[in-house]
Amino acid sequence: MSDTLRNTRTSVPSICPFCGVGCSLQFDAERDSATGWRGPVNSRGEVCPKGVAAFDVVDHAERLTTPLVRDDDGDLREATWGEAVSRVETAFGDVVRRHGPDALAFFASSNCTNEENYVLQKLARLLGTNSVDNCARLCHSSTVAAMRERLGAGAMTNSLADVRDETDCLLVVGANPAEQHPIIFRSYLLPAIRRGATLIHVDPRANATTDAATLHLPVRPGYDIPLLNAMARVVLDEGLVDDAFVSTRVTDFEAFHTALDDVDVEANAELAGVDPATIREAARAYASAENAAIVTGMGMSQHHYGTDNVHALLNLALLTGNLGKPGAGINPLRGQNNVQGAGDVGALPDLLPGYADVTDPEARARVAEVWGVGADTLPELPGRTEVEATHAFGESVFGALVFGENPLVTEPNLNRVREQFERLDCLVVLDIFPTETVELADVVLPGSSWAEKAGTVTNTDRQVMRMRPLADTPGDARLDLDVLCELGRRLTEHPGQFEYDGPEAVFEELKRVTPQYAGMSYDGIGTGSQRWPFPAGATAGTAVLHVDHFASGSQTAELRPVAHVDPADDVGDDELVLTTGRVLQQFNSGAVTRRSGMLMRLRGADVLQMHPDDAAVRGIDDGDTVVVSNARGEVTVEVEVTPAIRPGTVFTTFHYATPLANLLTGDALDPVAKIPEYKHTAVRIAGVRP
Ligand SMILES: Nc1nc2c(c(=O)[nH]1)N[C@H]1C(S)=C(S)[C@@H](COP(=O)(O)OP(=O)(O)OC[C@H]3O[C@@H](n4cnc5c(=O)[nH]c(N)nc54)[C@H](O)[C@@H]3O)O[C@H]1N2
Ligand SMILES: Nc1nc2c(c(=O)[nH]1)N[C@H]1C(S)=C(S)[C@@H](COP(=O)(O)OP(=O)(O)OC[C@H]3O[C@@H](n4cnc5c(=O)[nH]c(N)nc54)[C@H](O)[C@@H]3O)O[C@H]1N2
Ligand code: SF4
Ligand SMILES: [Mo]
């Protein structure tokens, strides 16, 4: 057993801290690493390389183990918890006195538990502000906005198991599950394909998911709407509409049909940069399958019209009757292990726990009653979203608490982000490593890693599962939940509202305000899961949503014409389009995975993929180092010349601090969901460095 891991417990399951698949893990003392536990999602105990490496970082030498405060010389120095928390109390108190509670911003963590996120949003709201958000804003806020508006719920419509067992066609648009959701890919999508399902992959790059595809549509980044409209047009032209479904479950068919009269498949195909014959084939395969499931990700959501992208996907599913039945639906694969739950429990600036609108007085009164405060205590105006909050730093926001996020690597247009963070009177960061964001903090609070905490997380197919402590926190580090409760007692006028006898007590409270969780319990979850919606008295959750009526309460959902919007960046003749994303062995800002020796041995993530034609005209060879720049910034990166990427487009990840891809990305936001355009950035490639 590891000498340094503290009081490690074996044969106890917890949940992987990385992606939204939610694999169950345990500590294997013999191998001194994590190993799979046969859980509700990874039922054979399978895990991916990140899961195996999850213990690498628990006892890492760089863990934050002592609170830090910035001294008069501008240096971070060690402090006691008493001093650090008093510093927060004084600084945030000053901000509220001078500018009011909306001058504070709270960044919740989709890497952390439901209980922790619930307490943080309660803290913000009892302080008087709705400015609490989590980085679902940066991944699926646009998907959730479109799906909530049209269907009444933003989550995966189907379960992984019914997709595995029932689907005949997988339309994967802007997602690369082979690398980003590896256990879903291996244990749910590949078995469906082996059973005979067709995989259609819409992605500007051929990647590990494409390897399993029957059809690949290498769409030009930012031009999915022309492509999806062309597919809808083929469905209409070739009589592939599900008439029975449309007549009972859909409205506005005629208006939609008329709007599509203007769509020319050839012209749209050219705009999208895809062969029209392939578009026709894809439309036929999707629309004529008995059950066809859409799987979607960041390639759709992360555009400044990401919400419209998802509206176009919804049209296809509604036209073809692929909603409300097993093996079908629209399935956004969620990002971190608890990005679904962070939203469910209200870490959103416009929504209370359970997705009740903050502007709804009855909803506020219901929550206020559970919190034992007056009906008019809760703030009624929506708060700021994450990137909007950053943009307001120094002007109308002066204090921020960042819990388990690393915006100095992950927000767009980082030169501006850094300037904005430097304008804060007080930045408080609750993290486990000295990240790029911690470097700017005035107060650093050392929290707990996944392996030290108890609580629940909600995976991508709505399964709520329990984490269990497998080790003790290092040094003076504290459990995140304890830190957040102490801040709640010290910062708000309702200290009694932050006295909990552990995470289960928080869960018992949060389910009273989160109807989707109402019937769940820690005992009921056990080492398995309970899936939402799980009303009080239920014995099981609901796998397939929208069966007889939509979650909106209506029997019908609307078809809605969507028009293409040009990406925010104009692309000059000598410029290329940069799109960014992920690779298997690294996770998001890399704060955790870059510290894993095991994962860093799997190299190959910090390159810029470029098509041979684009390389040839620039005199660039594989392995050359180039400068990539635009008006926002400049990065230096090694080129991988590969035909896997479409000409005119280059791709790199944002996992590394060098190169820091987000120096280049723009901060134009989707008007509805306020998600930034990470997937389309105009860049110049200036010269080769020896
Ligand atoms: N290994 C690993 N797994 C992860 C993560 C990680 O960092 N590493 N992060 C987690 C998180 S937070 C999230 S949100 C998920 C994200 O999971 P994915 O959505 O799969 O992630 P991305 O790689 O950002 O984007 C997916 C694909 O979109 C393509 N794409 C780019 N532009 C466009 C476009 O305009 N149109 C279309 N159709 N496609 C486009 C990219 O080439 C890429 O292959 O992954 C989660 N899982
Ligand atoms: N260019 C580009 N940028 C992107 C994207 C993209 O596709 N392209 N994707 C966007 C997306 S989808 C997302 S979700 C964001 C992700 O953005 P972030 O959420 O900022 O990235 P993470 O690396 O997941 O940050 C996790 C932080 O939490 C800390 N942490 C981990 N576990 C714990 C814990 O248990 N307790 C505490 N207290 N701290 C913990 C880690 O040390 C790390 O600092 O990035 C976005 N940025
Ligand atoms: S697939 Fe996701 S949840 Fe499962 S082990 Fe890998 S990173 Fe963890
Ligand atoms: Mo994400």
Side-chain angles (χ1 to χ4, degrees):
M1 186 180 295
S2 164
D3 303 331
T4 41
L5 274 177
R6 297 150 303 277
N7 298 323
T8 322
R9 296 178 262 292
T10 52
S11 301
V12 184
S14 191
I15 305 297
C16 177
F18 297 114
C19 86
V21 178
C23 297
S24 298
L25 296 179
Q26 60 179 322
F27 181 63
D28 182 332
E30 258 166 52
R31 288 197 287 179
D32 198 15
S33 75
T35 181
W37 166 285
R38 291 164 184 266
V41 188
N42 54 337
S43 55
R44 292 169 294 147
E46 60 272 42
V47 285
C48 83
K50 288 187 301 303
V52 175
F55 269 100
D56 259 27
V57 291
V58 174
D59 63 342
H60 194 280
E62 290 175 55
R63 277 289 297 272
L64 294 169
T65 55
T66 320
L68 307 170
V69 296
R70 200 162 290 281
D71 66 17
D72 295 337
D73 301 330
D75 299 322
L76 282 175
R77 64 162 172 81
E78 294 190 354
T80 62
W81 275 99
E83 186 185 7
V85 172
S86 295
R87 192 68 91 89
V88 183
E89 192 178 4
T90 308
F92 278 20
D94 278 351
V95 170
V96 173
R97 257 188 308 284
R98 295 210 319 269
H99 310 282
D102 286 330
L104 293 174
F106 294 87
F107 291 33
S109 180
S110 28
N111 293 284
C112 290
T113 65
N114 287 319
E115 292 75 4
E116 290 154 356
N117 281 289
Y118 175 79
V119 166
L120 181 57
Q121 61 82 37
K122 183 179 186 185
L123 184 169
R125 294 188 157 115
L126 287 179
L127 254 172
T129 182
N130 281 313
S131 286
V132 55
D133 202 3
N134 75 89
C135 74
R137 183 67 46 203
L138 310 178
C139 28
H140 269 301
S141 58
S142 44
T143 323
V144 173
M147 291 178 69
R148 257 174 51 79
E149 196 188 339
R150 300 270 289 280
L151 312 179
M156 269 179 72
T157 58
N158 285 61
S159 76
L160 293 168
D162 80 75
V163 169
R164 177 194 59 206
D165 297 338
E166 309 273 347
T167 199
D168 304 300
C169 177
L170 291 158
L171 174 59
V172 180
V173 190
N176 176 14
E179 295 193 63
Q180 269 75 263
H181 299 88
I183 299 307
I184 290 182
F185 188 74
R186 273 171 174 278
S187 304
Y188 295 86
L189 304 189
L190 282 182
I193 293 166
R194 280 197 290 269
R195 199 176 29 72
T198 311
L199 169 66
I200 304 165
H201 195 210
V202 184
D203 194 307
R205 300 182 307 134
N207 49 44
T209 300
T210 325
D211 292 344
T214 313
L215 288 176
H216 178 214
L217 287 70
V219 67
R220 184 176 163 204
Y223 290 80
D224 290 273
I225 291 175
L227 186 151
L228 296 169
N229 279 347
M231 284 179 70
R233 177 70 210 236
V234 174
V235 171
L236 293 171
D237 285 351
E238 301 195 4
L240 299 170
V241 172
D242 182 335
D243 295 320
F245 187 85
V246 166
S247 64
T248 53
R249 303 293 307 272
V250 172
T251 65
D252 302 273
F253 177 75
E254 291 308 325
F256 182 76
H257 200 302
T258 310
L260 279 212
D261 282 347
D262 292 338
V263 168
D264 175 62
V265 175
E266 265 66 27
N268 276 30
E270 192 176 340
L271 201 54
V274 179
D275 171 28
T278 319
I279 293 185
R280 288 202 167 84
E281 221 181 312
R284 285 178 203 127
Y286 173 77
S288 50
E290 180 77 24
N291 303 312
I294 291 173
V295 171
T296 188
M298 303 299 95
M300 279 274 107
S301 60
Q302 291 177 331
H303 288 280
H304 80 119
Y305 47 87
T307 306
D308 286 351
N309 273 340
V310 178
H311 280 303
L313 277 179
L314 282 159
N315 288 338
L316 274 184
L318 287 168
L319 271 183
T320 57
N322 276 305
L323 275 166
K325 62 177 182 180
I330 300 199
N331 300 290
L333 298 181
R334 304 304 302 260
Q336 294 102 328
N337 69 344
N338 197 35
V339 63
Q340 181 64 53
D344 295 344
V345 302
L348 295 170
D350 52 342
L351 297 168
L352 294 165
Y355 300 98
D357 226 300
V358 294
T359 57
D360 174 358
E362 278 173 33
R364 288 200 306 277
R366 273 198 307 275
V367 174
E369 195 187 336
V370 173
W371 292 355
V373 296
D376 54 356
T377 311
L378 302 190
E380 55 185 72
L381 292 179
R384 290 186 175 85
T385 63
E386 278 203 7
V387 182
E388 287 179 306
T390 303
H391 290 173
F393 288 174
E395 269 154 39
S396 43
V397 175
F398 300 92
L401 169 72
V402 176
F403 168 42
E405 275 196 20
N406 193 6
L408 267 293
V409 177
T410 56
E411 281 199 13
N413 195 1
L414 280 178
N415 280 320
R416 178 176 182 200
V417 170
R418 172 169 290 274
E419 270 170 31
Q420 290 301 104
F421 269 81
E422 283 169 348
R423 296 175 73 186
L424 284 171
D425 293 351
C426 183
L427 171 65
V428 182
V429 180
L430 170 54
D431 206 295
I432 56 174
F433 284 120
T435 63
E436 294 72 11
T437 306
V438 162
E439 282 169 25
L440 295 187
D442 300 292
V443 182
V444 181
L445 305 174
S448 44
S449 82
W450 71 281
E452 292 140 19
K453 57 175 70 171
T456 56
V457 288
T458 307
N459 87 330
T460 189
D461 75 341
R462 297 176 269 114
Q463 298 187 65
V464 180
M465 296 178 280
R466 281 174 61 186
M467 303 189 75
R468 293 179 179 75
L470 314 182
D472 296 338
T473 47
D476 278 345
R478 283 198 188 163
L479 292 175
D480 290 326
L481 187 64
D482 292 351
V483 177
L484 295 167
C485 285
E486 175 162 7
L487 291 173
R489 288 193 296 270
R490 297 281 289 271
L491 299 177
T492 71
E493 285 168 14
H494 309 279
Q497 280 302 318
F498 296 91
E499 297 285 356
Y500 293 102
D501 189 14
E504 186 171 4
V506 180
F507 191 80
E508 285 301 310
E509 180 181 305
L510 77 81
K511 64 187 224 201
R512 293 172 60 202
V513 287
T514 311
Q516 295 84 343
Y517 289 48
M520 296 179 189
S521 68
Y522 270 31
D523 282 348
I525 297 169
T527 54
S529 70
Q530 287 180 327
R531 175 182 276 118
W532 75 248
F534 200 104
T539 50
T542 308
V544 181
L545 300 181
H546 316 301
V547 174
D548 300 314
H549 55 85
F550 291 98
S552 59
S554 168
Q555 202 196 319
T556 56
E558 139 206 55
L559 276 167
R560 178 186 301 189
V562 234
H564 167 71
V565 182
D566 281 333
D569 273 10
D570 285 333
V571 188
D573 288 341
D574 58 339
E575 292 181 322
L576 295 171
V577 172
L578 168 71
T579 190
T580 59
R582 302 157 158 80
V583 290
L584 173 68
Q585 68 271 32
Q586 292 295 321
F587 194 75
N588 291 353
S589 73
V592 177
T593 45
R594 276 186 278 129
R595 290 183 166 87
S596 158
M598 209 187 287
L599 292 172
M600 288 304 284
R601 280 196 289 279
L602 306 168
R603 296 290 298 173
D606 45 349
V607 294
L608 182 81
Q609 292 187 322
M610 186 186 288
H611 190 270
D613 295 351
D614 294 320
V617 293
R618 288 171 176 76
I620 294 168
D621 290 321
D622 190 64
D624 281 351
T625 297
V626 297
V627 180
V628 187
S629 67
N630 59 22
R632 292 181 284 266
E634 182 180 297
V635 303
T636 304
V637 59
E638 187 184 317
V639 173
E640 181 198 349
V641 177
T642 167
I645 186 143
R646 59 173 289 126
T649 301
V650 286
F651 170 88
T652 196
T653 76
F654 67 108
H655 299 309
Y656 289 85
T658 45
L660 203 42
N662 280 321
L663 285 170
L664 301 166
T665 49
D667 47 15
L669 303 181
D670 175 282
V672 179
K674 312 291 181 185
I675 194 167
E677 184 145 80
Y678 289 119
K679 294 288 192 262
H680 183 284
T681 305
V683 292
R684 283 181 301 278
I685 311 281
V688 179
R689 291 227 170 128

